[in-house]
């Protein structure tokens, strides 16, 4: 049985408002296996940051049972804090200090000896490619360097679970991909990552499991591919070597269309969710008709389509109940 780094049942949180309590989390369940990347997506105000704040002991839940790194969140918050690291939306780097001084300060806060603190600092500066800038003020660092230093500071305490709340916001594409590489290395070493992000490509690239949060509820969960299959728009592109084979394929399948923008008009587009069963059935029918494609490509909606479609449905439901 897979051990869970984070397990939550019925997590609830409300804040008082002028028109009564505003429900931010409406009984959500989470199960995050150790050594994986879990990504929580959702529109602004959906409750993502509140979820991170609760799971990292920075806010108190109104209800629900939660365990983080094996510890009960309500009864053992100090143990939870000792097992986790948090990199928030806004950098915790002290820009008046050098990169080295920031790391040494974190080592002091974690009660490392001077010798171990210096050793850990040297290791992290090397690991995050900050050796040359180690003794320069952090105010002189680029955005990508500051985020790398921020994450390095999180790792001083060797956390088993790390919460990354929109860690690459504002970074250029190169810096973002550098951070992705670092995250993958951490997970390969056994660390569990709980990621919130506004960049859906980031979740698609990194996450083993994705949950979509909207209006305080989880409205969809699964791998990136599973989520993409939840909405229409998927299709297969079958390229044939001649018109005879294409016509035979169209007759065997009974559906599909040739894109008029194709120069040679030899590519057949067939609606499909891209699933294994559907693909196996299609290939079997083509084989029986003697219409073997020269090339086949699966096209599914991307996470942007999933996000916009599913959160749009939730908005429509909200309007219908008013």
């Amino acid at each position: 049985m897979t051990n869970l780094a984070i397990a939550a049942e019925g997590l609830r949180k409300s804040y008082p408002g002028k028109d009564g309590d505003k429900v931010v989390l409406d009984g959500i369940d989470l199960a995050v296996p150790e050594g994986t990347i879990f990504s929580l997506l959702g529109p602004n105000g959906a409750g993502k940051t509140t979820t991170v704040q609760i799971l990292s002991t920075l806010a108190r839940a109104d209800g629900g049972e939660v365990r983080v790194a094996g510890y009960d969140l309500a009864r053992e918050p100090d143990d939870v804090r000792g097992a986790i690291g948090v990199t928030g939306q806004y950098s915790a780097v002290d820009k008046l200090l050098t990169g080295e001084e920031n790391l040494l300060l974190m080592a002091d806060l974690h009660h490392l000896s001077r010798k171990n603190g210096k050793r850990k600092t040297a290791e992290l500066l090397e690991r995050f490619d900050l050796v040359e800038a180690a003794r320069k003020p952090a105010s002189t660092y680029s955005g990508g360097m500051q985020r790398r230093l921020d994450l390095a500071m999180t790792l001083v305490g060797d956390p088993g679970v790390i919460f990354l709340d929109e860690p690459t916001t504002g970074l250029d594409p190169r810096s973002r991909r550098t951070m992705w590489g670092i995250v993958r290395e951490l997970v390969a070493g056994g660390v569990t990552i709980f990621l919130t992000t506004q960049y859906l490509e980031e979740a698609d690239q990194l996450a083993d499991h994705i949950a979509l949060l909207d209006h305080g509820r989880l409205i969809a969960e699964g791998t990136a591919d599973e989520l993409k299959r939840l909405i229409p728009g998927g299709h297969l592109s079958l390229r044939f070597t001649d018109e005879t084979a294409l016509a035979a394929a169209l007759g065997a399948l009974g559906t599909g269309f040739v894109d008029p923008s194709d120069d040679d008009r030899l590519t057949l587009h067939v609606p499909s969710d891209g699933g294994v069963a559907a693909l196996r059935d299609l290939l079997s029918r083509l084989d029986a008709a003697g219409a073997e494609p020269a090339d086949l490509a699966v096209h599914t909606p991307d996470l942007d389509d999933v996000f916009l479609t599913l959160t749009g449905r939730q908005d429509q439901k909200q309007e219908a109940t008013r």
Side-chain angles (χ1 to χ4, degrees), residues 23-103:
V23 178
V24 181
L25 297 177
D26 192 11
I28 68 172
D29 299 334
L30 299 169
V32 182
E34 292 179 348
T36 64
I37 302 176
F38 178 94
S39 183
L40 186 63
L41 304 180
N44 290 332
K48 302 187 301 297
T49 296
T50 298
T51 302
V52 171
Q53 289 175 337
I54 291 173
L55 296 177
S56 60
T57 77
L58 297 176
R60 188 182 297 273
D62 295 333
E65 298 289 331
V66 183
R67 298 188 72 83
V68 178
Y71 299 108
D72 186 285
L73 188 67
R75 299 185 183 90
E76 304 168 294
D78 288 341
D79 293 308
V80 171
R81 293 185 193 107
I84 67 173
V86 182
T87 298
Q89 295 181 33
Y90 306 103
S91 174
V93 171
D94 187 329
K95 296 182 181 179
L96 297 179
L97 301 179
T98 67
E100 184 178 52
E101 288 168 343
N102 270 285
L103 289 167

Side-chain angles (χ1 to χ4, degrees), residues 12-310:
R12 302 183 64 85
K13 181 67 178 178
S14 299
Y15 291 107
K18 293 182 180 179
D19 302 319
D21 289 350
K22 174 179 173 56
V23 178
V24 181
L25 297 177
D26 192 11
I28 68 172
D29 299 334
L30 299 169
V32 182
E34 292 179 348
T36 64
I37 302 176
F38 178 94
S39 183
L40 186 63
L41 304 180
N44 290 332
K48 302 187 301 297
T49 296
T50 298
T51 302
V52 171
Q53 289 175 337
I54 291 173
L55 296 177
S56 60
T57 77
L58 297 176
R60 188 182 297 273
D62 295 333
E65 298 289 331
V66 183
R67 298 188 72 83
V68 178
Y71 299 108
D72 186 285
L73 188 67
R75 299 185 183 90
E76 304 168 294
D78 288 341
D79 293 308
V80 171
R81 293 185 193 107
I84 67 173
V86 182
T87 298
Q89 295 181 33
Y90 306 103
S91 174
V93 171
D94 187 329
K95 296 182 181 179
L96 297 179
L97 301 179
T98 67
E100 184 178 52
E101 288 168 343
N102 270 285
L103 289 167
L104 289 171
L105 176 60
M106 291 302 296
D108 287 341
L109 292 174
H110 282 282
H111 307 293
L112 298 184
S113 68
R114 183 175 296 274
K115 179 180 179 181
N116 287 336
K118 287 185 176 181
R119 177 185 56 79
K120 191 69 175 179
T121 293
E123 288 177 0
L124 290 170
L125 288 171
E126 178 72 29
R127 182 176 185 179
F128 285 83
D129 194 23
L130 293 170
V131 174
E132 292 185 7
R135 298 191 176 180
K136 296 178 182 179
S139 59
T140 65
Y141 289 13
S142 67
M145 291 170 68
Q146 288 188 23
R147 294 308 276 172
R148 296 206 307 273
L149 177 58
D150 199 17
L151 184 52
M153 291 164 62
T154 299
L155 294 180
V156 170
D158 291 321
V161 180
I162 298 178
F163 294 92
L164 299 180
D165 192 12
E166 301 187 17
T168 62
T169 297
L171 296 187
D172 61 78
R174 182 185 298 274
S175 297
R176 186 172 298 126
R177 280 169 171 74
T178 297
M179 286 292 289
W180 292 356
I182 292 170
V183 169
R184 291 188 181 105
E185 288 176 8
L186 290 172
V187 174
V191 173
T192 303
I193 301 291
F194 189 102
L195 170 72
T196 73
T197 179
Q198 293 285 5
Y199 299 108
L200 301 186
E201 181 193 7
E202 188 161 87
D204 202 351
Q205 287 284 332
L206 294 177
D208 299 296
H209 193 84
I210 299 170
L212 185 55
L213 182 68
D214 196 21
H215 296 290
R217 295 184 178 181
L218 293 180
I219 60 173
E221 285 188 74
T223 65
D225 287 341
E226 288 169 346
L227 291 179
K228 292 171 188 176
R229 293 187 191 120
L230 292 177
I231 62 174
H235 67 275
L236 302 175
S237 293
L238 307 169
R239 181 173 177 77
F240 296 89
T241 55
D242 56 59
E243 293 182 359
T244 301
L246 185 144
L250 190 56
L253 299 176
T255 186
F257 68 95
V258 178
D259 190 339
S261 65
D262 291 342
D263 291 337
D264 54 14
R265 298 177 63 83
L266 291 175
T267 300
L268 181 65
H269 301 286
V270 181
S272 172
D273 65 1
V276 173
L279 187 57
R280 184 183 296 115
D281 176 66
L282 177 140
L283 292 175
S284 176
R285 291 160 68 183
L286 290 178
D287 184 60
E292 181 178 346
D295 189 31
L296 182 152
V298 179
H299 300 271
T300 57
D302 60 23
L303 282 184
D304 286 39
D305 298 319
V306 174
F307 183 91
L308 293 171
T309 300
L310 296 183

